[in-house]
Each structure stands twice: as structure tokens, then as C-alpha cells.
């Protein structure tokens, strides 16, 4: 398959690219800094594009079979729109080019945003700055998820837990139900994305990906 990967130069995006190549796919790796991208292979081409630029997203999306988005942003106390706006641009481009398959990485932290008021008060007393910065990103990721669900595409949302480095793919789990305090190896979420892009076992579903502790 011909895949276009947004966020390809992130730690997870690089793993997705490498695993996709190993699986026999060709990849267009989208990044704002192509000179920093570490892969040099005939199955990978880099494309310089800002995901906030709708025209640039449209230009790089056409001619592919599927889109994988691993776009993420660091915590911020200011309003965040990167994930939702980028996803809106991706969905619009896919519809315009007649594409169907979309996979996006979200976050299991969204479940923490739905705590009871008492639970939120306890956490704010302990970690006010962390929660404030996290909530701005969480709100944007939730908007991103809504855009994906309402797109009419063949979508899958993958919610990893706390992302940690992993040297190899583990015996990870994919489930429709949240996992208490999950952690996820980057190798596992990358493997899950590449596997799901072809298998399509979770079309139209939000899936939690958790690694053994």
C-alpha cells in the first residue's frame, strides 16, 4: 500500500515509517524538516509540508491508499488547535481525493479528563500546572477525535497510554475498553498502526493499545 504519514519525524512516526517499509509498504513521510528525516530508502519519500496549511496537506495526500496520523503537541497552558486543525485538513483532502482509510493516534489520557468533580479537585490540588497544560491538549485531541468520527471515512482511532521507549514489539493488547493506568511502548503503537492499516479489524472504532508492565 501507499501510505502517507503525518508526524513522520516524531519518535513514533519514525517507527511507523520503518515498520511500514519492513511490511512492504511505500511511505510518504510528511515533515516540516525533511533534511532531518533519518531514512534514505527507495520505499520512502519525504515531503515538506505544514499540517496547518490546507493546500500543502491536500498536495501531499493525493495518490495514496491510506493516511496515518501521529501528530502530537507538547503540553501547553495556551489554547491548542494543532491536532484538530491538522486533522480537519487531512479529512478534507482525503474526501477530495476519494480516499477512505484513516488511522489517527489519540490518547488514553482523555479518560482522565472525564473524572468526577471530586476527583478533578483532588488532582488540581496536587498538580495544577500539569492539569492545566494537559487539559488544553486534551480538549484539542477530543476535537480531533470528533472530526475523525464525523468524517464518514473508514477510520480507526488508537488511544495509547503513557508512551515509553521500547526496544522491540511486545505482546501488547488492543481493546475497546479502557485499561487502568496504561503504558504503551512506542514500538507497540507503531506496530498496531501498521497492522491495522491493512487488516482493518477495528474500522469505525476507538481502540486502546496497552503494553505489559
Amino acid at each position: 500500500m501507499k501510505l502517507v504519514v503525518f508526524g513522520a519525524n516524531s519518535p513514533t512516526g519514525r517507527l511507523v515509517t520503518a515498520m511500514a517499509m519492513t511490511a512492504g509498504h511505500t511511505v510518504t513521510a510528511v515533515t516540516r524538516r525533511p533534511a532531518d528525516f533519518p531514512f534514505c530508502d527507495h520505499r520512502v519519500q519525504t515531503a515538506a509540508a505544514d499540517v496547518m496549511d490546507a493546500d500543502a496537506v491536500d498536495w501531499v495526500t493525493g495518490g495514496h491508499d491510506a493516511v496515518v496520523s501521529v501528530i502530537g503537541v507538547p503540553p501547553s497552558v495556551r489554547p491548542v488547535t494543532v491536532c484538530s486543525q491538522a486533522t480537519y485538513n487531512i479529512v478534507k483532502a482525503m474526501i477530495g481525493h476519494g480516499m477512505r482509510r484513516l488511522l489517527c493516534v489519540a490518547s488514553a489520557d482523555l479518560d482522565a479528563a472525564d473524572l468526577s468533580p471530586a476527583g478533578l479537585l483532588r488532582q488540581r490540588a496536587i498538580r495544577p500546572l500539569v492539569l492545566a497544560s494537559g487539559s488544553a491538549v486534551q480538549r484539542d485531541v477530543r476535537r480531533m477525535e470528533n472530526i475523525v468520527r464525523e468524517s464518514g471515512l473508514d477510520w480507526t482511532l488508537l488511544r495509547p497510554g503513557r508512551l515509553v521507549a521500547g526496544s522491540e514489539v511486545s505482546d501488547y493488547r488492543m481493546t475497546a475498553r479502557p485499561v487502568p493506568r496504561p503504558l504503551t511502548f512506542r514500538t507497540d503503537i507503531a506496530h498496531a498502526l501498521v497492522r491495522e492499516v491493512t487488516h482493518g479489524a477495528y474500522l469505525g472504532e476507538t481502540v486502546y493499545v496497552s503494553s505489559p508492565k
Side-chain angles (χ1 to χ4, degrees):
M1 294 179 69
K2 296 180 179 178
L3 310 181
V4 54
V5 178
F6 289 92
N9 210 18
S10 66
T12 303
R14 292 182 179 188
L15 288 168
V16 170
T17 301
M19 292 183 185
M21 286 192 304
T22 300
H25 304 297
T26 60
V27 179
T28 297
V30 182
T31 171
R32 289 183 297 172
R33 298 178 297 275
D36 297 337
F37 198 66
F39 295 93
C40 182
D41 190 280
H42 70 279
R43 292 165 294 182
V44 177
Q45 65 174 355
T46 56
D50 185 341
V51 293
M52 302 296 279
D53 183 337
D55 290 336
V57 171
D58 182 77
W59 174 72
V60 298
T61 300
H64 294 85
D65 300 311
V67 171
V68 177
S69 174
V70 289
I71 297 167
V73 294
S76 172
V77 295
R78 298 180 179 180
V80 177
T81 62
V82 173
C83 293
S84 58
Q85 184 61 54
T87 302
Y88 175 83
N89 292 340
I90 291 169
V91 167
K92 182 179 178 182
M94 290 182 66
I95 292 172
H97 290 286
M99 297 169 60
R100 298 293 308 167
R101 192 69 175 108
L102 171 63
L103 296 97
C104 294
V105 172
S107 173
D109 286 343
L110 291 179
D111 294 311
D114 296 327
L115 290 172
S116 67
L120 286 173
L121 285 174
R122 285 195 299 271
Q123 289 205 30
R124 286 195 180 101
I126 299 170
R127 298 183 299 160
L129 292 178
V130 173
L131 283 171
S133 62
S135 63
V137 175
Q138 288 170 350
R139 285 192 293 270
D140 192 45
V141 174
R142 192 174 295 282
R143 289 192 295 268
M144 179 272 287
E145 286 198 340
N146 290 336
I147 290 168
V148 171
R149 292 191 181 103
E150 296 170 4
S151 66
L153 300 174
D154 297 331
W155 58 268
T156 303
L157 287 164
L158 286 83
R159 284 184 171 186
R162 179 171 59 88
L163 287 171
V164 296
S167 59
E168 58 185 23
V169 177
S170 75
D171 185 21
Y172 64 89
R173 294 176 56 201
M174 297 178 69
T175 174
R177 301 187 62 148
V179 177
R181 301 182 65 183
L183 66 80
T184 308
F185 298 144
R186 292 186 185 276
T187 47
D188 291 345
I189 188 65
H191 185 271
L193 284 162
V194 174
R195 183 176 68 176
E196 178 60 17
V197 78
T198 52
H199 290 189
Y202 296 96
L203 289 177
E205 295 188 47
T206 300
V207 186
Y208 294 83
V209 182
S210 59
S211 304
K213 296 182 180 180

